[in-house]
């Protein structure tokens, strides 16, 4: 694992109208790390992910990927929006898996994975098909590659979405509550794929309420509260030594994870 941060956020702010959702987020993710964001709904976790991936434009502060400012550059003391070509190139280095699967219903699983490889990376269809087939096998869907989304379970659709994201070879992979839309019995299969990706060294920034997964897989855990980083550290530091009543209360919902402190 490199000591040089792959992702750096410095004082990131974001408002929707008069509501300030992110109030100066400082965060680092190093290559090969799994960093998990936890916290109550509305604490700013998903908004921060969307700012990293340029789906939302942050209002202040700076986000850097491999030292390269994301979305903006400073010029004469002012932020200037990068060209759309630069923004598209940056987006291609960051993969994201959403709560909803966002698969194209008229394309097979394999074709869904191939699409970005051909349209964004410019690969030929034969090479894209080979890559897509390999990743679908990696997520346990080799025999489902010719199936359409309606022929797949929710867990299988989410695994196709994960294969689609990782097939692009992103520098950073973002996960936004990817199990929240799944039936409970399908959650384990998706978390299993995420665990395999983490073990392979994929750099991941994860928003999740699956606390056992967060504790077991993460290198670093960030607790967000009301748009700020309220506490961060190793899983042991965050789960076993919550420094605030807010964090204790949040973790108290997940019995057994605090070694008896949640009672």
């Amino acid at each position: 694992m490199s000591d040089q941060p792959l992702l750096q956020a410095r004082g990131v702010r974001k408002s929707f109208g008069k509501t300030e959702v992110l109030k100066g987020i400082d965060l680092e993710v190093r290559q090969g790390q799994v960093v998990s964001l936890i916290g109550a709904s509305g604490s700013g976790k998903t908004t921060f992910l969307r700012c990293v991936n340029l789906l939302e434009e942050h209002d202040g502060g700076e986000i850097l990927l491999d030292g390269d400012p994301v979305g903006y550059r400073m010029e004469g003391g002012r932020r200037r929006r990068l060209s759309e070509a630069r923004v598209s190139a940056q987006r291609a280095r960051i993969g994201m898996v959403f709560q909803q699967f966002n698969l194209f219903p008229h394309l097979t699983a394999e074709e869904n994975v191939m699409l970005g490889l051909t349209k964004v990376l410019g690969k030929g269809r034969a090479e894209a098909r080979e890559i897509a087939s390999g990743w679908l096998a990696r997520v346990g869907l080799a025999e489902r590659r010719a199936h359409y989304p309606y022929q797949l379970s929710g867990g299988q659709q989410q695994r196709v979405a994960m294969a689609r994201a990782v097939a692009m070879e992103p520098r950073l992979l973002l996960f936004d509550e990817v199990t929240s839309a799944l039936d409970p019995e399908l959650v384990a299969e998706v978390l299993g794929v995420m665990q395999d990706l983490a073990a392979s060294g994929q750099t991941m920034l994860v928003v999740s309420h699956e606390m056992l997964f967060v504790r077991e897989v993460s290198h670093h855990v960030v607790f967000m509260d009301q748009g700020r980083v309220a506490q961060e550290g190793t899983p042991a530091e965050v789960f076993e030594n919550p420094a605030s009543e807010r964090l204790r209360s949040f973790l108290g919902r997940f019995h057994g994870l605090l070694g008896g402190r949640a009672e």
Side-chain angles (χ1 to χ4, degrees), residues 121-231:
L121 299 187
K123 295 185 181 296
R125 286 189 62 82
E127 182 184 5
R129 191 177 303 279
E130 182 179 357
I131 293 170
S133 178
W135 275 109
L136 287 170
R138 176 85 175 265
V139 300
L141 294 175
E143 297 182 357
R144 298 287 191 273
R145 63 181 183 273
H147 285 54
Y148 291 90
Y150 77 90
Q151 298 173 309
L152 302 171
S153 70
Q156 289 170 338
Q157 290 184 62
Q158 191 60 287
R159 284 187 280 156
V160 173
M162 293 165 70
R164 177 180 60 185
V166 77
M168 300 290 288
E169 298 186 352
R171 295 282 289 142
L172 175 67
L173 197 51
L174 311 177
F175 292 88
D176 183 22
E177 291 284 12
V178 296
T179 59
S180 64
L182 300 178
D183 293 333
E185 63 269 20
L186 301 177
V187 169
E189 64 186 54
V190 171
L191 293 180
V193 172
M194 293 176 67
Q195 197 156 9
D196 288 344
L197 289 172
S200 73
Q202 174 69 55
T203 308
M204 297 159 58
L205 182 58
V206 179
V207 170
S208 180
H209 282 98
E210 300 291 342
M211 292 297 115
L212 282 173
F213 171 81
V214 167
R215 182 165 187 169
E216 291 173 4
V217 176
S218 304
H219 298 96
H220 196 77
V221 178
V222 177
F223 173 60
M224 290 183 61
D225 183 40
Q226 299 181 346
R228 293 185 172 90
V229 173
Q231 185 175 339

